[in-house]
Amino acid sequence: MAASSSPYVTLISNDGFEFIVSRDAACVAGTVKKMLDPHSSFAESISGRCTLGTINGVVLEKVCEYLYYNLKHKDEKDVPDMEIPPELCLELLMAADYLHV
Amino acid sequence: MIAGRGRRIRPPRRGLGTSDAVDFDSMWDVLASSLREIHTKNASKLSFEELYRNAYKLVLKKRGETLYIRVKEFEAEWLAKEVQPRIIEELSQTLLLATSGTQMIATANEKRVAGEKLLRALKQAWEDHNLCMNMTTDVLMYMDRVYCKDFRKPSIFSASMGQFRDHVLRTPLSDNPDDQISIAHILNAVMLDQVQMDREGDIVDKSLLKSCAYMLEGLYETEDEDESTKLYLTSFEPEFLRASEEFYRLEGAKLLLEADAGTFCKDARKRVNEEEDRCRSTLSPLTLTKVKSVVETELIKKNLPEVIALEASGVKYMLDNERLLELELIYELSARVDPKKEELRKAVQARILEMGNDVNKATVAATHTLPKPSDQDGDKAEGEEKASEKPVSQQTTAAIKWVDDVLQLKERYDNVLTEAFKSDQGLQTAFSRSFTDFINAFERSSEYLSLFFDENMKKGIKGKTENEVDLLLDKGITLLRYIQDKDMFERYYKKHLSRRLLMKRSISMDAERQMISKMKMEVGNTFTQRIEAMFKDMAVSADLTSNYKRHVAELGDPDPKRAEIEVNVLTSTMWPLEAMAPSYNDGEDRPRCIFPPQIERIKQGFEKFYLDKHSGRQLTWQANMGTADLRAYFPEMKGAKKTREINVSTYAMVILLLFNDQPPGGFMTTEEIQARTNIPLNELTRNLQSLGVAQKTRVLRKEPMSKDVKIDDKFYFNETFYSQFQKFKIGVVTSGNKVEDSQERSETEKKNNDTRGGVIEAAIVRIMKQRKELSHQKLIAEVIQQLTARFMPDVNMVKKRVESLIEREYLERIEDREPAAYRYLA
C-alpha cells in the first residue's frame, strides 16, 4: 500500500521502458489520474505502476516530457509551444487521446 | 504545414492490430467479469489499464453503442438480482403493513428499528452502487468521452443511476399490478416516520436519514439530470411537506388548547428552529425555505391571531405584565409570517387605546367625584372659599396626574418597543397613532398638558439638575407632538405663562426659555412667536421700570413716603388679557379701580413718563394682576415690634389704604368699600375674604364673623393682629393656575373657535390667491393640510368660512362647474 501514497509513480511503455515521474505530473493525464485514484482500488493504484499497452517508449518519453511541461506552466499565460518532432505527431495525438490530456 | 517543411510524417504503427480488435464478445466477457469483480469489491486484482484499453479499443472500433447497452444491461441485471433482494430481505413485515395503510400495530420502537434497518440497507446499497459506478465510469471513461458525447447519450454514470432508481426503488414488490408499492414508497414512509419520531422527541439516527435524503438527491427522474427533477424533490419532498403540514396543524390546535400564549410562542419558535436544523443536518437544505413556510403558515399564521387575542395570556396580558421576552417572541413570529405584523399591531394598538382611555376615565372620575360648588351654582362669590379651593387644586392634581400617567404609559410602551419589538418602524407609527387617538379623545388634554408644564415650572423643577429638567421638558414635548389642537395648547400655555411671569412664580427663566426653544423646534416658529413676545415685554418692562426710577430720582422728588413702582407694560395683542381678567366680556368697558391719591399720583407720573416716550399708545392698568408691599403698624400687637411687612395684591392694598383714613375702631361695609374703590364685586369679595376671613392673615376684622362675605358685612382694622413673621404674604384665593371650570372652558373654546375661524379664513385666502381657481374638494384638502400642524380643522367650519368669504366677495362660485369650484376675486 505504500506505493499508493508515494510521490512518484512508474509509467511503463508497451516495449518495456519505465518512466518514473512525480505523481502530480502523471495526474495531468486524465486516464492516469483515474488509474491511480486511491478511492478505486485497482491494481495500478495499489502498486503505483501503470503499464500503458498502447504507447511505445519513444512516444511515452515525449509524453512524460509534456506532462512535466504542462505541470510547470499550469497557471501561466502565453506559454511557448513545446518542441514536437513532426514524425511523432500522429502517435502523440493518439496517445493524448488515450491518456486524456 | 509540417509536411511542407520537408519532413515525412511517420504513419502510426498499427499498435492495435486488427486481430484483437474485432473480437467484441471475448473482450466484453473480460469486461463483464471485471465489472462483476468490481461489484464484489475485488478490484485490486484488476488492471485498470487493461480494462481501459479494452473499452478504448471497443469504442475505437465503433462498438461503443453495443458496449454502452451491454453495460447498462449488466447493471440492471446486477441491481435487480443482487441488490434489490438484499434490501427486500431487510424489509420487515411491519413496514409493509404500515405503508400499505393497514392498522399500525407496531410500537414506535419496533417501527424505528425496522425503519432503520431498511434505511441502513438502502444506504449501504446506495454507497456500494455509487462506488462501483465511479470505478466503472473511470474504466469506461473513454466511452463516456467519445461515444456518449458524440451520440448525446447520458453518461454511463447517470444512466446507471437511472438503473438504480428503476430497478431498486421503483420496481413493484409484488407482481400484482394493483399493488404498486415499491421500495421508494416504503422509503418515503419510513423517512417520514423517522422525521415524525424526531419531532416527537424520539431519538433517531440522523446521519442515516441524511444519507438517504442525499441518495434521493442524487437521483433524477430522467437521465438529463435536470435540477428540478431530483427524486428528492419529486417524490419525497411533497410527501414531507404534506406530512409537516398535517403535523403542525395538529400541533397548533393542541397548543392553542393546552398552552398559554407565551408557551405557544416559545414552542413555535423552537419548532421553526428545529425544522431549520433538520433541513440542514438531516434532510436537504433545498427544503429549508419550503418547510419553514409550511410551519409558518400552519403553526404561526393560522394561529397567531388567536394567540394574540388569548384572554388570559395573550398580548394584552404580556403588555400588562411586561413580559418582554414573550412579546419579543410574538414579534419575531409575526415578523415571520407578515412583514406588516398586522395582528400584533392591532392588538397592541387596541391595548394602548384601552389603557389611554382608562387614564382619561380615571381623570374624569377624579374630577367629578369631588363636589364642585363653583361649577354647580355658577356663582363665584359664594363658591370661592377654602372648601372649594380644595377640589380645585385636586383637579389640578388630577390634571397633572393625567399627564404623568400618560407619560408613564408612553415610557412603558417605548420600552416595549425597543426591548421587544426591535424598534420596528411600522409598530412605532402604530404606537404613535394610538397615543394620538386617545390623547385627542380626551378633550382637556391641551389644558392639562399646559398645567403640567405650569406646575413643573413653578415647583417641579426645583432642585433638579439641568439634565433632569431637560428630560422632563422633552417628555412633555413628546406629548405635545401627539396633541392635534396645538392652538388650544398655545392658548392655555400663554395664559399659564402670563400668570407665571407677572406673579414671578416661575423658578427658572432658563427653563422657560428652554421650553420655548423646544416648542419652536417641535411645532414651528409661528407657534412660539407670541410667547416670545411675552418674554420680550417682560424684559422691556424691566428696563422701563429702572428708567422710570432714574427719571424720578432726577426729578429729585424728596418725598420719602413715596411708594416705589414696578410696571410691566404688556402688548395687549400678545398677552391673553381676557384670561387674566376672566370676568369681563369683550367690548364691555371695565370699571376703573379708584386708587388712593398717593398711588394715583405715581400712576399718573408713570403714565406721563411713558407716553412721553411712546406717543399714541394707551395704557390700561390691570390692577387685578399686581401686588404691593405694605408696611403696616398694628398698635395692639404683642411683642416689641409692632410693624409688619405685608405682601398683598394691588386690590388688597387699595382696600387697606382706605383704613388709613379711618378713625381707630371705625368700620366700612363691603358696599362702602366697593363704592370708594370701584373694585369689581367678585374681586373685592375675594380680597376681603383673604384679608378678613383667612385665619393667619386676618388683618381686618369682619362682623359678623362668617365665612362668606356679604354686601353689608362690616370690616374693622384688626389692631390686635399678630403674626410671628416679620414679613408675610396674603395671597388672593384664585391666583394660581388651575383647571378651568366648565363655564370658563366653554368660553375658552368659543374664543379658540373664533381664532380658528380667522386662521382658516387666512389660509383659504392664501391658497386661493395663489391658485386663483380651485375645486371645493381640493380647497378643503389644502386647508386641512396647511393647518394640521396647528389643529385639526373641522370641515364644517371650513365650509362656513368659505361661505362667509363669498359673502364678503373675496371668492365667488364658478358657475356651471361640477364639482363645485371657487374663484379668487382680487
Side-chain angles (χ1 to χ4, degrees):
Chain A
M1 281 311 274
S4 66
S5 54
S6 140
Y8 292 96
V9 294
T10 314
L11 303 182
I12 304 160
S13 71
N14 58 0
D15 43 4
F17 290 99
E18 295 193 3
F19 297 87
I20 297 177
V21 293
S22 82
R23 187 178 285 270
D24 290 341
C27 285
V28 170
T31 307
V32 181
K33 186 173 190 281
K34 298 269 166 148
M35 215 177 275
L36 296 172
D37 190 353
H39 294 297
S40 60
S41 38
F42 284 111
E44 281 91 343
S45 74
I46 293 169
S47 65
R49 295 167 64 85
C50 309
T51 314
L52 303 170
T54 56
I55 306 172
N56 64 32
V58 185
V59 179
L60 189 55
E61 186 186 0
K62 204 66 191 165
V63 167
C64 290
E65 192 187 332
Y66 174 75
L67 292 180
Y68 273 107
Y69 180 83
N70 183 300
L71 188 68
K72 186 177 151 202
H73 298 291
K74 200 163 54 183
D75 300 321
E76 293 171 30
K77 282 177 183 170
D78 304 324
V79 181
D81 287 343
M82 200 179 98
E83 183 104 356
I84 292 180
E87 62 274 17
L88 284 180
C89 264
L90 270 176
E91 278 179 284
L92 273 174
L93 277 175
M94 283 175 63
D97 183 43
Y98 178 75
L99 290 175
H100 196 191
V101 276
Chain B
M1 277 189 294
I2 302 170
R5 285 191 213 155
R7 297 207 195 161
R8 240 188 86 240
I9 298 174
R10 218 187 322 160
R13 264 166 295 166
R14 293 265 145 230
L16 328 156
T18 38
S19 56
D20 55 357
V22 261
D23 192 4
F24 176 85
D25 284 335
S26 67
M27 280 169 96
W28 165 247
D29 284 345
V30 175
L31 271 175
S33 68
S34 307
L35 288 180
R36 198 161 293 116
E37 293 291 308
I38 289 176
H39 280 299
T40 47
K41 298 180 189 163
N42 284 323
S44 55
K45 289 186 202 148
L46 302 170
S47 159
F48 178 91
E49 202 270 346
E50 193 190 335
L51 298 176
Y52 181 79
R53 185 152 29 91
N54 280 339
Y56 172 73
K57 282 179 192 160
L58 288 179
V59 175
L60 271 189
K61 297 293 169 203
K62 310 281 183 225
R63 307 300 293 270
E65 194 182 351
T66 338
L67 176 65
Y68 185 79
I69 292 167
R70 287 285 181 91
V71 174
K72 258 173 90 171
E73 277 169 5
F74 173 81
E75 286 303 329
E77 198 187 318
W78 175 266
L79 289 170
K81 293 237 172 90
E82 300 284 330
V83 181
Q84 208 201 11
R86 234 185 298 152
I87 290 167
I88 291 173
E89 244 171 63
E90 303 287 347
L91 264 180
S92 54
Q93 206 54 32
T94 41
L95 281 179
L96 276 174
L97 285 177
T99 38
S100 56
T102 35
Q103 289 264 267
M104 298 244 225
I105 331 154
T107 65
N109 203 36
E110 271 173 45
K111 241 167 52 185
R112 188 174 69 221
V113 171
E116 281 184 5
K117 223 164 121 195
L118 173 74
L119 292 184
R120 206 163 286 134
L122 263 176
K123 181 189 159 201
Q124 191 59 44
W126 169 249
E127 279 171 359
D128 286 352
H129 182 69
N130 243 334
L131 183 68
C132 296
M133 284 327 290
N134 269 324
M135 290 166 75
T136 313
T137 315
D138 286 351
V139 169
L140 301 175
M141 185 171 65
Y142 194 79
M143 181 183 79
D144 266 349
R145 240 170 67 213
V146 177
Y147 168 75
C148 294
K149 216 188 244 164
D150 289 356
F151 293 84
R152 293 173 193 275
K153 294 269 183 167
S155 75
I156 191 68
F157 186 78
S158 28
S160 67
M161 289 297 132
Q163 300 288 334
F164 187 83
R165 175 195 68 216
D166 292 339
H167 292 282
V168 176
L169 297 182
R170 291 270 171 88
T171 322
L173 289 180
S174 61
D175 300 328
N176 182 357
D178 298 336
D179 189 5
Q180 286 297 322
I181 287 182
S182 65
I183 302 238
H185 288 117
I186 298 172
L187 174 67
N188 271 354
V190 169
M191 282 175 75
L192 290 179
D193 229 30
Q194 301 266 326
V195 170
Q196 176 85 4
M197 281 189 257
D198 188 25
R199 278 186 185 140
E200 276 160 10
D202 286 347
I203 297 157
V204 296
D205 189 344
K206 284 186 181 164
S207 63
L208 199 60
L209 265 179
K210 171 81 189 169
S211 39
C212 286
Y214 188 69
M215 170 180 85
L216 288 176
E217 263 193 274
L219 293 172
Y220 296 81
E221 283 290 332
T222 60
E223 264 99 31
D224 301 337
E225 310 214 330
D226 185 3
E227 276 300 310
S228 61
T229 61
K230 284 181 174 176
L231 274 197
Y232 178 81
L233 295 179
T234 54
S235 81
F236 176 69
E237 197 178 51
E239 293 278 336
F240 172 68
L241 292 180
R242 210 170 305 128
S244 309
E245 215 179 291
E246 178 68 26
F247 177 78
Y248 284 113
R249 188 165 51 241
L250 292 177
E251 171 98 356
K254 199 179 86 192
L255 275 174
L256 263 191
L257 270 184
E258 288 173 2
D260 61 359
T263 330
F264 180 90
C265 291
K266 271 179 219 145
D267 217 78
R269 191 173 67 167
K270 204 181 91 205
R271 285 295 184 191
V272 172
N273 289 340
E274 263 178 24
E275 287 303 326
E276 277 180 27
D277 275 357
R278 182 168 301 120
C279 283
R280 240 174 256 128
S281 67
T282 324
L283 298 173
S284 154
L286 294 172
T287 324
L288 187 68
T289 46
K290 294 180 202 162
V291 77
K292 237 166 89 180
S293 82
V294 165
V295 182
E296 277 160 11
T297 39
E298 287 303 323
L299 188 58
I300 304 176
K301 203 173 186 173
K302 291 193 179 160
N303 293 320
L304 200 62
E306 284 172 60
V307 171
I308 286 176
L310 269 185
E311 199 56 48
S313 62
V315 165
K316 194 175 145 189
Y317 168 82
M318 296 180 194
L319 287 176
D320 291 355
N321 293 289
E322 308 254 329
R323 295 288 184 89
L324 290 180
L325 278 177
E326 288 174 14
L327 281 170
E328 195 177 340
L329 276 176
I330 281 250
Y331 170 79
E332 245 177 64
L333 296 182
S334 315
R336 258 178 217 287
V337 292
D338 178 10
K340 284 192 199 139
K341 293 149 283 242
E342 198 72 32
E343 293 295 333
L344 179 61
R345 207 194 70 208
K346 270 189 212 145
V348 178
Q349 251 180 324
R351 188 61 195 146
I352 295 181
L353 264 183
E354 211 174 299
M355 291 183 73
N357 287 333
D358 281 353
V359 171
N360 289 350
K361 259 184 235 148
T363 311
V364 171
T367 48
H368 278 291
T369 47
L370 299 160
K372 291 203 295 178
S374 57
D375 273 9
Q376 281 157 3
D377 51 26
D379 184 357
K380 287 190 169 181
E382 255 181 286
E384 298 297 317
E385 275 180 65
K386 274 212 158 178
S388 73
E389 195 178 352
K390 213 172 153 198
V392 167
S393 72
Q394 257 175 19
Q395 278 188 48
T396 314
T397 326
I400 288 158
K401 190 170 168 297
W402 179 80
V403 177
D404 276 339
D405 284 351
V406 174
L407 279 177
Q408 240 169 39
L409 200 63
K410 163 96 179 122
E411 207 167 313
R412 242 175 84 186
Y413 280 95
D414 277 352
N415 190 28
V416 169
L417 186 66
T418 47
E419 295 286 317
F421 296 159
K422 302 183 178 139
S423 305
D424 184 88
Q425 203 71 45
L427 284 175
Q428 194 174 8
T429 39
F431 277 27
S432 301
R433 199 169 311 129
S434 314
F435 272 101
T436 314
D437 282 355
F438 85 76
I439 286 176
N440 287 304
F442 187 59
E443 50 183 13
R444 293 196 155 191
S445 47
S446 357
E447 185 187 356
Y448 281 8
L449 181 59
S450 177
L451 267 175
F452 169 78
F453 282 128
D454 185 60
E455 184 68 17
N456 276 307
M457 287 297 182
K458 285 196 313 213
K459 293 175 199 147
I461 59 174
K462 199 179 272 176
K464 282 190 180 156
T465 65
E466 216 163 279
N467 281 343
E468 283 170 327
V469 173
D470 206 45
L471 210 68
L472 193 84
L473 295 185
D474 274 343
K475 277 189 197 161
I477 292 280
T478 17
L479 288 195
L480 175 60
R481 198 175 302 154
Y482 292 137
I483 288 183
Q484 274 167 353
D485 297 339
K486 298 211 170 55
D487 57 340
M488 210 54 173
F489 174 78
E490 185 191 352
R491 188 170 289 272
Y492 282 114
Y493 192 78
K494 262 162 65 180
K495 181 177 149 195
H496 295 153
L497 175 67
S498 66
R499 287 244 174 88
R500 283 206 296 279
L501 288 178
L502 291 181
M503 299 185 180
K504 303 201 169 57
R505 287 288 191 77
S506 190
I507 291 174
S508 149
M509 283 315 256
D510 276 350
E512 293 276 8
R513 291 220 177 78
Q514 210 181 343
M515 174 67 202
I516 288 186
S517 66
K518 277 187 200 301
M519 280 201 279
K520 202 186 216 162
M521 294 213 301
E522 191 55 47
V523 204
N525 228 347
T526 44
F527 186 80
T528 50
Q529 235 167 22
R530 293 179 180 194
I531 299 177
E532 277 170 1
M534 288 166 72
F535 278 95
K536 208 173 127 209
D537 274 352
M538 291 305 286
V540 169
S541 301
D543 276 356
L544 199 62
T545 307
S546 63
N547 280 345
Y548 178 67
K549 272 183 192 156
R550 211 177 307 129
H551 170 75
V552 171
E554 275 165 17
L555 280 183
D557 193 335
D559 187 358
K561 277 192 177 173
R562 190 186 168 82
E564 300 215 334
I565 186 169
E566 198 183 314
V567 185
N568 288 321
V569 181
L570 314 175
T571 319
S572 58
T573 47
M574 298 300 175
W575 291 70
L577 292 182
E578 75 281 355
M580 290 187 265
S583 38
Y584 300 101
N585 295 325
D586 299 86
E588 190 183 316
D589 211 16
R590 54 178 300 154
R592 297 274 167 79
C593 167
I594 301 169
F595 291 103
Q598 63 267 48
I599 305 295
E600 184 67 22
R601 218 172 43 237
I602 301 169
K603 182 186 141 198
Q604 276 164 5
F606 181 80
E607 264 175 18
K608 187 166 170 293
F609 168 76
Y610 185 80
L611 295 176
D612 276 351
K613 284 192 155 185
H614 311 273
S615 59
R617 293 199 187 174
Q618 194 193 352
L619 283 179
T620 312
W621 293 81
Q622 301 278 349
N624 55 329
M625 298 307 297
T627 57
D629 287 327
L630 295 178
R631 191 169 295 129
Y633 177 69
F634 299 94
E636 312 269 312
M637 190 191 271
K638 284 178 267 175
K641 226 176 163 197
K642 294 186 195 301
T643 56
R644 289 287 183 272
E645 278 183 29
I646 319 172
N647 178 278
V648 291
S649 73
T650 311
Y651 282 143
M653 171 201 62
V654 173
I655 297 165
L656 286 176
L657 285 181
L658 284 182
F659 285 89
N660 272 353
D661 306 335
Q662 290 291 323
F667 69 87
M668 279 184 282
T669 60
T670 312
E671 206 172 6
E672 273 176 320
I673 297 175
Q674 214 248 324
R676 292 181 60 175
T677 57
N678 207 11
I679 298 174
L681 191 61
N682 57 351
E683 301 263 0
L684 181 64
T685 20
R686 219 182 298 162
N687 277 292
L688 285 177
Q689 241 167 16
S690 46
L691 291 174
V693 179
Q695 200 74 50
K696 292 212 170 130
T697 58
R698 201 174 290 164
V699 186
L700 297 182
R701 198 151 46 80
K702 191 166 87 78
E703 256 180 29
M705 214 40 227
S706 67
K707 279 194 168 177
D708 295 343
V709 175
K710 299 260 167 52
I711 199 80
D712 48 2
D713 281 352
K714 294 172 186 167
F715 287 93
Y716 298 85
F717 185 63
N718 184 2
E719 292 168 348
T720 58
F721 176 81
Y722 174 75
S723 165
Q724 62 189 93
F725 301 108
Q726 185 59 38
K727 244 177 155 176
F728 59 91
K729 179 174 175 135
I730 301 179
V732 185
V733 173
T734 55
S735 60
N737 286 329
K738 59 175 173 55
V739 176
E740 291 180 322
D741 58 43
S742 48
Q743 189 194 343
E744 286 172 316
R745 180 163 172 80
S746 62
E747 240 171 69
T748 317
E749 240 164 36
K750 191 173 142 269
K751 284 194 188 114
N752 203 37
N753 278 344
D754 290 349
T755 326
R756 281 186 184 184
V759 174
I760 293 174
E761 274 186 8
I764 295 173
V765 170
R766 260 200 313 276
I767 293 164
M768 291 307 289
K769 205 168 184 173
Q770 192 190 358
R771 300 294 178 96
K772 304 300 177 204
E773 282 180 19
L774 207 58
S775 78
H776 177 77
Q777 288 302 328
K778 276 189 185 159
L779 176 63
I780 297 224
E782 278 207 38
V783 169
I784 290 176
Q785 191 214 333
Q786 275 204 6
L787 297 178
T788 32
R790 286 169 63 83
F791 58 91
M792 241 355 232
D794 179 31
V795 176
N796 278 331
M797 201 190 265
V798 179
K799 272 188 197 153
K800 264 188 208 143
R801 290 294 128 191
V802 172
E803 295 293 327
S804 127
L805 283 172
I806 292 175
E807 249 167 52
R808 282 178 287 159
E809 300 192 330
Y810 280 95
L811 305 177
E812 67 171 2
R813 261 183 243 280
I814 303 176
E815 302 283 330
D816 311 325
R817 185 69 75 84
E818 205 55 53
Y822 307 104
R823 180 182 296 131
Y824 179 69
L825 297 175

